[in-house]
């Protein structure tokens, strides 16, 4: 008789950490089998004999679900200063070291030299390397670039496609789409999402233009499309845009803040902290807010006098630091921050098995110490970081 047992290493017990699922579950033990969480029980109560088990002592640590970053230029964005300013692709270690275990990728301003096919391939590559990936189909400008010919068919036929975006409005770099064009895209997202069993959101890049979210308000007023079908990002770009975003959230919409630690002097951008504080002061439920990194887009660099001195790329460090600041400065309680950085995007974008530490969910787990520094990361059950040391690197990383 051949006895098949689980591969050694496939059972992991994370023992004695204080779990914020996002909800406070107390000090418990988490049992992981393969990619999944299979049990969450009282500390010391899980007993397993006859199989090798990898035990991790999490006493003194807090345990949260991995971050979900809903706006990342996986194959690099930028290019707005000519070909030399095209930003590089993201790498696995850049992602996991910031506690991110799920990512949604998109193209950026450049829909000419960057292609949906390359974005899809990169999403598959990162998934193979260990994290979970999804993408938005389409491009900044209209007509949108897709893989199979339309947003609707991409949503139905390509598993990784969960919406369309980032499509630019109220921006000098946009294709100046009309309201009718945006309404049609939202309608296509709606049907594609339904047929594909996806959220099918229309993820809109909002620029500095004075129309702000006017199209979105018209859409809600003039059509039957639900407010949750459209998902604006960069809403902390300036105070008046944030005002519109607050109105939109009050109508039931979800808004995405672009992580910004310290906006350059003279800029109108609000930091993550300022933007969230302002949302809370205006009674926006935390459930309607997400924060994303805009990672691997290009970012201008300024000297102390505010002169442009070069370009750098956005990273997910701003996401992690934003999370830490919000909790350390007591703007949010830990469970509320976990909602914004993990549970909300999972629920809103219908990412099954994500965003919550719960039996049956994917084992995307982050351990943090008393300073909220990340010590360990598990992505789909695999230990990617142990005691602050990166264990798994991308294919071409040394
Ligand atoms: Zn953008």
């Amino acid at each position: 008789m051949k006895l098949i047992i689980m591969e050694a290493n496939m059972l992991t017990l994370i023992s004695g950490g204080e779990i914020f699922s996002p909800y406070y579950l107390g000090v418990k033990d988490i049992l992981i089998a393969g990619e999944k969480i299979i049990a969450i029980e009282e500390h010391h109560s899980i007993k397993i004999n006859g199989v090798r088990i990898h035990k991790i002592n999490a006493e003194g640590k807090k345990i949260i679900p991995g971050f979900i970053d809903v706006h990342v230029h996986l194959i690099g964005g930028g290019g707005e200063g000519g070909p030399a300013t095209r930003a590089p692709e993201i790498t696995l270690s850049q992602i996991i070291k910031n506690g991110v275990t799920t990512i949604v990728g998109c193209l950026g301003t450049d829909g000419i030299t960057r292609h949906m096919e390359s974005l899809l391939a990169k999403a598959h590559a990162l998934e193979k390397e260990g994290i979970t990936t999804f993408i938005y189909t389409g491009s900044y400008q209209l007509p949108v670039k897709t893989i199979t010919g339309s947003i609707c068919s991409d949503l139905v036929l390509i598993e990784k496609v969960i919406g369309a975006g980032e499509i630019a409005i109220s921006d000098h770099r946009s294709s100046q789409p009309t309201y009718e064009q945006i309404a049609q895209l939202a309608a296509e997202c709606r049907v594609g999402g339904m047929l594909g069993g996806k959220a099918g959101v229309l993820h809109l890049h909002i620029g500095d233009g004075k129309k702000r979210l006017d199209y979105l308000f018209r859409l809600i007023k003039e059509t039957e499309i639900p407010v949750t079908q459209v998902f604006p990002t960069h809403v902390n770009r300036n105070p008046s845009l944030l005002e519109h975003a607050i109105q939109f959230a009050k109508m039931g919409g979800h808004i995405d803040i672009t992580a910004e630690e310290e906006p350059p002097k003279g800029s109108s951008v609000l930091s993550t902290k300022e933007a969230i504080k302002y949302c809370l002061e205006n009674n926006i439920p935390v459930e309607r807010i997400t924060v994303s990194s805009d990672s691997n887009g290009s970012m201008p660099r300024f000297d102390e006098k505010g002169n442009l001195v070069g370009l750098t790329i956005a990273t997910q460090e701003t996401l992690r630091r934003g999370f830490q600041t919000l909790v350390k400065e007591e703007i949010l309680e830990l469970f509320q921050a976990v909602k914004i950085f993990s549970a909300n995007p999972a629920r809103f974008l219908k990412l099954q098995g994500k965003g919550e530490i719960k039996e049956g969910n994917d084992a995307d787990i982050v351990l943090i110490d008393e300073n909220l520094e990340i010590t360990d990361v598990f992505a789909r059950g695999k230990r990617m970081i142990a005691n602050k040391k990166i264990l798994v690197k991308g294919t071409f990383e040394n």
Side-chain angles (χ1 to χ4, degrees), residues 169-171 206-213 233-246 256-258 260 263 266-271 274-275 278-279:
I169 62 167
S170 303
D171 195 301
I206 318 292
D208 258 324
K210 56 180 185 299
K211 284 203 198 90
R212 301 177 284 163
L213 300 185
T233 186
H234 315 319
V235 298
N236 51 322
R237 192 184 287 282
N238 62 56
S240 95
L241 176 58
L242 189 61
E243 287 295 344
H244 255 197
I246 282 169
D256 186 47
I257 289 164
T258 302
E260 180 75 51
S267 127
S268 56
V269 174
L270 291 97
S271 68
E274 290 168 331
Y278 195 63
C279 287

Side-chain angles (χ1 to χ4, degrees), residues 18 20 60-64 67 97-99 317 319-335 337-338 341 366-377 388:
E18 213 180 356
F20 291 79
K61 306 256 175 79
K62 292 186 168 60
I63 300 183
I64 60 175
F67 297 144
K97 75 176 181 196
N98 290 304
E317 262 178 61
L319 194 80
R320 171 177 54 81
R321 293 220 194 101
F323 175 86
Q324 291 166 334
T325 305
L326 287 162
V327 179
K328 279 185 184 168
E329 298 191 11
E330 297 181 354
I331 294 159
L332 294 173
E333 289 189 49
L334 183 55
F335 83 96
V338 172
F341 289 78
V366 172
L367 272 56
I368 51 179
D369 64 17
E370 68 278 13
N371 295 316
L372 306 178
E373 295 295 340
I374 293 166
T375 65
D376 295 76
V377 174
K388 299 190 177 176

Side-chain angles (χ1 to χ4, degrees), residues 74-75 89-90 105-107 115-129 131 133-136 147 158 160-161 395-396:
L74 298 183
I75 55 171
E89 291 194 358
I90 201 165
C106 57
L107 297 180
H115 308 112
M116 280 308 303
E117 290 84 351
S118 327
L119 181 66
L120 178 61
K122 178 73 182 181
H124 280 297
L126 287 168
E127 181 102 20
K128 188 95 186 152
E129 290 176 346
I131 62 158
T133 56
F134 300 95
I135 58 172
Y136 302 106
I147 299 172
I158 301 173
K160 287 208 175 293
V161 174
T395 315
F396 296 104

Side-chain angles (χ1 to χ4, degrees), residues 71 73 106-109 140 166 173 205-206 233-234 237 294:
H71 186 109
H73 300 287
C106 57
L107 297 180
T109 318
Y140 219 70
E166 67 174 318
R173 293 163 293 180
H205 156 111
I206 318 292
T233 186
H234 315 319
R237 192 184 287 282
D294 205 5

